[in-house]
Amino acid sequence: MNSPTGGTQRSEQKPATAARMYDFYLGGVHNFQADRQAAQTVIDQFPVVPAVARNNRAFLGRAVRFLAEAGVRQFLDIGSGIPTAGNVHEIAQAAAPDARVVYVDIDPVAVAESLEILHGNDRATAIRGDLREPQAILGHSEVRRMLDFTTPTALILAAVLHFVPDDTQAFGLVDHLVAELPTGSYLVISHGAAETFALSDERTAAAREVYTQRTTTAGKPRPRAQVERFFAGRCQLVDPGVTWAPEWRPAPGDPADFADDTRRSGMWAGVGQLMAMPTTGQPAT
Ligand SMILES: C[S@@+](CC[C@H](N)C(=O)[O-])C[C@H]1O[C@@H](n2cnc3c(N)ncnc32)[C@H](O)[C@@H]1O
């Protein structure tokens, strides 16, 4: 539709958002002119970005299918984005019709579009929430109504932690969210890679400037070691660990953009299962 709320002159003047820019990268139609211009500026620096987004979505789909097949029936997807092909609830409920999903996003358009496609689905919903305020998400009445945190749950943070540039805040909020989940739950993370989008690279600086200046969500890629730190000390990483997104349990039908060089895929990806923690605060061995 090229204008999520009907294409009025006023809506075209809205500032860009990360959700709608991502929608543009994926070829979606839920974006305004400001989003398209901002996204195009990023693509001008890194023409690979639409393929990065495609491959991130493919990882997310494989991860959710893996979890549903492993018996997970609850999914809390924070930074879920605007609905597109292969949404979490579609994949989870295809594998397990009783799976329940709560989508959380800071962008009201993402929430409104999610609610629209979820109409009539009483096992999935969407709420507006800010990852940087984990307590508000965990305490939200819809989250409490839909998810039972005494049962293993998948916490999905796909391509969203890089929108929390402060390391202390990013690691702290993951601590906070994970602390609510029982042993046997899963943590799913994909994250923009500093090895691909080097912080010293002028093009990265220009792309980061777009998010800082034109959206309310500044961003920062992180190196693999830092992405692994989100899992460290509490999770048993599922094979093959934290890898380039296309290398995480590849499956038939995956996009072939990075078949010859996965490093260009620009996104680290991993899934970890929460281990029992003894009272010392160290994971049990
Ligand atoms: C790149 S998209 C990823 C969408 C989806 N998770 C995926 O991997 O395909 C990032 C999403 O995170 C959302 N986001 C950014 N900062 C956020 C925050 N502080 N709290 C909640 N959502 C946030 C954006 O609105 C956007 O929808």
Side-chain angles (χ1 to χ4, degrees):
M1 74 178 138
N2 279 345
S3 175
T5 55
T8 65
Q9 193 65 33
R10 273 184 66 216
S11 65
E12 290 296 328
Q13 292 164 2
K14 279 179 189 275
T17 73
R20 301 193 304 257
M21 289 170 65
Y22 185 70
D23 179 68
F24 180 76
Y25 299 147
L26 289 171
V29 295
H30 302 290
N31 46 72
F32 298 118
Q33 189 181 356
D35 306 306
R36 296 189 283 279
Q37 286 173 343
Q40 190 56 53
T41 307
V42 173
I43 293 170
D44 290 345
Q45 300 300 327
F46 292 103
V48 77
V49 160
V52 171
R54 266 196 303 280
N55 281 265
N56 174 62
R57 284 301 294 186
F59 156 72
L60 176 60
R62 296 193 302 278
V64 171
R65 199 168 294 113
F66 165 82
L67 295 173
E69 287 169 1
V72 176
R73 294 293 177 267
Q74 303 196 121
F75 296 81
L76 178 58
D77 181 1
I78 306 179
S80 48
I82 292 168
T84 179
N87 295 302
V88 168
H89 74 283
E90 292 162 347
I91 295 172
Q93 292 178 348
D98 56 337
R100 290 193 300 281
V101 179
V102 178
Y103 292 116
V104 183
D105 204 283
I106 199 169
D107 186 328
V109 170
V111 177
E113 295 294 338
S114 299
L115 286 172
E116 193 169 319
I117 65 160
L118 294 175
H119 186 72
N121 187 333
D122 60 7
R123 293 179 313 285
T125 191
I127 61 166
R128 190 164 180 209
D130 187 335
L131 176 60
R132 294 164 297 184
E133 295 169 6
Q135 196 55 48
I137 293 174
L138 294 169
H140 194 286
S141 56
E142 282 294 274
V143 172
R144 290 284 157 189
R145 183 178 70 82
M146 196 69 85
L147 305 178
D148 166 10
F149 287 140
T150 64
T151 303
T153 301
L155 170 63
I156 300 175
L157 301 172
V160 66
L161 280 167
H162 46 236
F163 291 117
V164 185
D166 183 273
D167 291 338
T168 305
Q169 189 176 30
F171 290 110
L173 70 86
V174 174
D175 285 346
H176 198 130
L177 290 165
V178 164
E180 192 79 6
L181 305 180
T183 301
S185 293
Y186 287 87
L187 176 60
V188 178
I189 291 177
S190 60
H191 197 297
E195 289 84 346
T196 310
F197 306 108
L199 290 168
S200 57
D201 184 332
E202 279 177 21
R203 295 174 307 151
T204 304
R208 290 185 69 193
E209 171 114 346
V210 170
Y211 283 95
T212 306
Q213 300 294 332
R214 302 201 212 174
T215 77
T216 57
T217 46
K220 185 177 85 171
R222 292 189 170 90
R224 182 186 204 161
Q226 275 196 322
V227 177
E228 287 173 336
R229 237 183 89 192
F230 287 114
F231 296 99
R234 53 176 157 236
C235 285
Q236 177 82 47
L237 277 168
V238 168
D239 278 346
V242 172
T243 65
W244 294 112
E247 292 176 349
W248 196 90
R249 296 182 176 239
D254 281 348
D257 305 279
F258 302 114
D260 56 345
D261 184 3
T262 47
R263 182 190 167 98
R264 291 177 58 247
S265 63
M267 199 77 79
W268 293 116
V271 177
Q273 185 172 28
L274 265 61
M275 300 177 288
M277 300 285 285
T279 46
T280 60
Q282 298 299 314
T285 50

